[in-house]
Amino acid sequence: MKLRAISSAVLVFGLALQPLRAQVSVTTSRNDNMRDGQNLSETTLTPGNVNVNQFGKLFSQAVDGYVYAQPLYVPNVTIPGLGTHNVLYVATEHDSVYAFDADNNTGMNASPLWHASFIDPAHGITTVPSGDVNCTDLVPEIGITSTPVIDTTAGTMFLVTKIKNNGQYAHELHAISITTGQEQAGSPVVIQAQVKGTGEGSVNGIVKFDPLHEAQRPGLLLVNRTLFIAWASHCDNTPYHGWVMSYNESSLKQMRVWNSTPNGGLGGVWQSGGGVASDGTYIFFATGNGSYDGPRGGLDFADSVLKGPATGQLAHPYDYFTPYDQGSLSNGDTDVGSGGVLLLPDQGTGAPHQHLLVQVGKSGSIYLIDRDHMGGFNPNNNHQIVQDMENAIGGLWATPAWWNNNVYFGGSSDYLRQYTFDPSSGLLSNSAVATGTFSGFPGPTPSISASGTSNAIVWTLQVDQYGSSGPAILHAYDANNIATELYNSSQNSARDNPGIAVKFTVPTVVNGKVYVPTAAQVSVYGLLGNR
């Protein structure tokens, strides 16, 4: 299937990216593959100038659908016929990708630099209506839900669409040029998969990927020239399984397929949109409630944190952690995998544990896990992991953030909480050292801007009004003590309202601006003197 429509002022194609100056790019979910949410090269926005008098909404750009994906950003991109721009990339549930000038919407920049659409209604190719999956999590349509990933060297964006093609459903992997939006060679690829198994939906000992029931929510991962893509479902509507698939970046050839519950059911990779994580050698992800028989030598790994090779060859987990109370968590729909995996920076050679990760699910228990020895399953307790803090925070439908030995958790119906990490003991503080100013469902996924270890700000989106078409609220906190709120967009709502809230959305903070996705637009915030 070819690219169905492109609207753009671009008439000449094929120009390459200019060499990038030393400026930050945001090319993947949560800023990097560790999924820590950090931009440590922000020199414009500081706790001293982020306040309602100096900081606010500069402009917005309209789009054609809800924006669940995190906006991406690449500086100094040469757009054929339109010069060089810092470019903001926005993907929508209407199966569109937009490229906007990231700095202003004046003159020629009032229109997108290009707009790629992956549907063709005149020929029966549309997004998937929410009613078709009997779920209102994504409304009114399902198209591009996950955060794409960009290879700036190749000048290529990779994304997954969900479409309805004359009554048939499909997920497609696309590779498009970030300068024009045009499909690259070999793109798109229809995603298909099957594994041996007797689980839900199996026929004659084969479980096939179900493009109607499966939802591609977690952000895409690109590591070692390999793409990793993960799935769960829509509203737990069965039959479904968790899937993780790998593709060769250059050829888009499928390399390996892994199913979380081939002899059972469920076990989705949800992570509330957080991407599969990687330290460059391994990948890490978490699964939700479902079938589990891993300790008995089985193949079903629901409610677990899993590790595999970052080479696309995941056939069986290299290592894993499953809480001792997996059965009750599963029966209570208290997914371990509702939140995304956070990888901590490598610790020194004398540290108690050199490689750590943090995972929190719906129970609100904080699991600090040694990535080298994840602990497997202990039926009596979780003493095999580094630290287990039961019910410490509100359930997590988010990914924590890390900065300068602090971890920030946006628990549901709970306040943003700041924990400290002690490198000498290798442990988190036993309780939060500071809390934020609002609570609601779902809790936020924090983003961090800082100039190294100074001038750090924690940014969150309050989206608890998503079900009533109320506005999102952008919050900014002093990262040293999040009890100090620097700014929120409701302080001058007439000027700074970003638009209708969308569940699980994440702000992108880069180059002196904050980009906020909402239901029909992306709003751009910055210092008011920089309009």
Side-chain angles (χ1 to χ4, degrees):
M1 183 176 62
K2 296 181 178 179
L3 184 68
R4 276 99 194 199
I6 285 248
S7 62
S8 173
V10 176
L11 300 176
V12 181
F13 300 104
L15 294 184
L17 283 170
Q18 283 190 342
L20 298 183
R21 297 194 297 269
Q23 193 182 138
V24 173
S25 296
V26 178
T27 60
T28 191
S29 169
R30 307 290 295 128
N31 292 44
D32 58 42
N33 289 348
M34 304 287 276
R35 308 309 186 194
D36 54 33
Q38 293 188 108
N39 169 12
L40 298 182
S41 299
E42 178 54 56
T43 58
T44 299
L45 302 176
T46 72
N49 59 29
V50 173
N51 57 67
V52 71
N53 296 318
Q54 297 174 269
F55 177 89
K57 189 171 78 169
L58 304 178
F59 63 93
S60 296
Q61 291 282 19
V63 296
D64 61 9
Y66 279 48
V67 183
Y68 282 81
Q70 180 179 347
L72 301 178
Y73 174 96
V74 181
N76 305 316
V77 180
T78 299
I79 305 296
L82 296 177
T84 300
H85 299 258
N86 297 329
V87 180
L88 184 74
Y89 298 93
V90 181
T92 78
E93 290 291 354
H94 198 60
D95 271 330
S96 286
V97 174
Y98 290 82
F100 294 110
D101 182 278
D103 298 318
N104 68 75
N105 66 341
T106 60
M108 290 291 292
N109 293 334
S111 299
L113 302 170
W114 53 257
H115 165 221
S117 173
F118 303 96
I119 58 175
D120 185 359
H123 293 90
I125 302 168
T126 67
T127 57
V128 177
S130 300
D132 287 17
V133 299
N134 192 30
C135 176
T136 57
D137 269 358
L138 305 173
V139 290
E141 60 185 344
I142 305 163
I144 304 170
T145 306
S146 67
T147 301
V149 65
I150 293 173
D151 181 339
T152 55
T153 300
T156 302
M157 173 188 288
F158 301 91
L159 60 110
V160 173
T161 61
K162 186 164 185 169
I163 60 168
K164 187 175 184 179
N165 188 343
N166 292 286
Q168 301 298 310
Y169 302 95
H171 295 240
E172 294 185 333
L173 171 60
H174 294 260
I176 64 173
S177 166
I178 66 172
T179 65
T180 66
Q182 289 286 331
E183 298 274 13
Q184 305 288 60
S187 175
V189 171
V190 176
I191 292 171
Q192 299 174 317
Q194 64 180 41
V195 295
K196 293 180 180 180
T198 57
E200 290 185 357
S202 64
V203 177
N204 298 324
I206 298 295
V207 178
K208 291 187 176 181
F209 177 77
D210 182 339
L212 173 61
H213 286 95
E214 297 292 335
Q216 204 287 292
R217 185 69 186 94
L220 274 60
L221 168 67
L222 176 61
V223 59
N224 300 327
R225 300 190 60 80
T226 302
L227 289 161
F228 290 89
I229 311 170
W231 284 264
S233 79
H234 300 280
C235 285
D236 263 328
N237 292 334
T238 59
Y240 79 91
H241 304 264
W243 295 84
V244 178
M245 305 182 198
S246 57
Y247 286 79
N248 179 277
E249 176 190 2
S250 299
S251 66
L252 300 187
K253 180 180 179 181
Q254 190 179 85
M255 299 172 66
R256 184 73 73 169
V257 169
W258 181 78
N259 183 299
S260 66
T261 52
N263 296 315
L266 290 70
V269 184
W270 304 90
Q271 302 193 165
S272 299
V276 174
S278 179
D279 58 9
T281 303
Y282 300 101
I283 65 169
F284 300 86
F285 57 94
T287 56
N289 58 284
S291 304
Y292 180 72
D293 62 4
R296 299 187 295 276
L299 300 175
D300 295 339
F301 280 92
D303 283 307
S304 300
V305 186
L306 298 138
K307 171 183 177 179
T311 57
Q313 300 302 315
L314 178 64
H316 194 276
Y318 276 22
D319 201 357
Y320 68 96
F321 163 71
T322 307
Y324 75 95
D325 54 350
Q326 183 276 329
S328 62
L329 292 175
S330 183
N331 291 336
D333 190 27
T334 315
D335 300 42
V336 169
S338 62
V341 178
L342 166 66
L343 305 186
L344 272 56
D346 291 354
Q347 304 300 302
T349 55
H353 304 275
Q354 292 186 40
H355 307 111
L356 292 163
L357 69 79
V358 171
Q359 178 63 28
V360 183
K362 289 182 185 177
S363 73
S365 298
I366 300 174
Y367 305 119
L368 182 64
I369 302 169
D370 188 325
R371 305 201 307 259
D372 299 323
H373 306 284
M374 295 181 65
F377 176 74
N378 176 353
N380 301 313
N381 51 55
N382 293 330
H383 292 174
Q384 77 275 29
I385 64 174
V386 176
Q387 194 172 8
D388 174 29
M389 290 186 279
E390 297 288 312
N391 306 306
I393 63 174
L396 208 66
W397 280 262
T399 303
W402 166 275
W403 173 75
N404 197 32
N405 292 322
N406 291 274
V407 183
Y408 307 90
F409 298 92
S412 177
S413 300
D414 192 6
Y415 295 97
L416 181 71
R417 292 184 180 271
Q418 176 182 354
Y419 283 69
T420 57
F421 176 77
D422 182 353
S424 61
S425 68
L427 299 175
L428 294 168
S429 55
N430 290 324
S431 60
V433 299
T435 58
T437 58
F438 73 90
S439 64
F441 176 84
T445 289
S447 296
I448 308 294
S449 67
S451 178
T453 59
S454 65
N455 288 328
I457 299 173
V458 179
W459 303 88
T460 66
L461 290 180
Q462 181 179 351
V463 296
D464 51 340
Q465 297 188 66
Y466 73 90
S468 59
S469 298
I473 301 174
L474 174 66
H475 293 260
Y477 300 94
D478 186 328
N480 287 295
N481 180 359
I482 61 171
T484 301
E485 183 175 47
L486 306 170
Y487 164 88
N488 75 68
S489 56
S490 66
Q491 291 170 340
N492 187 339
S493 57
R495 182 191 69 195
D496 292 349
N497 183 353
I500 296 173
V502 174
K503 187 168 59 172
F504 303 144
T505 44
V506 180
T508 295
V509 189
V510 62
N511 195 30
K513 293 185 174 62
V514 182
Y515 301 93
V516 176
T518 60
Q521 64 189 35
V522 58
S523 293
V524 183
Y525 293 75
L527 298 182
L528 297 173
N530 294 342
R531 286 179 182 272

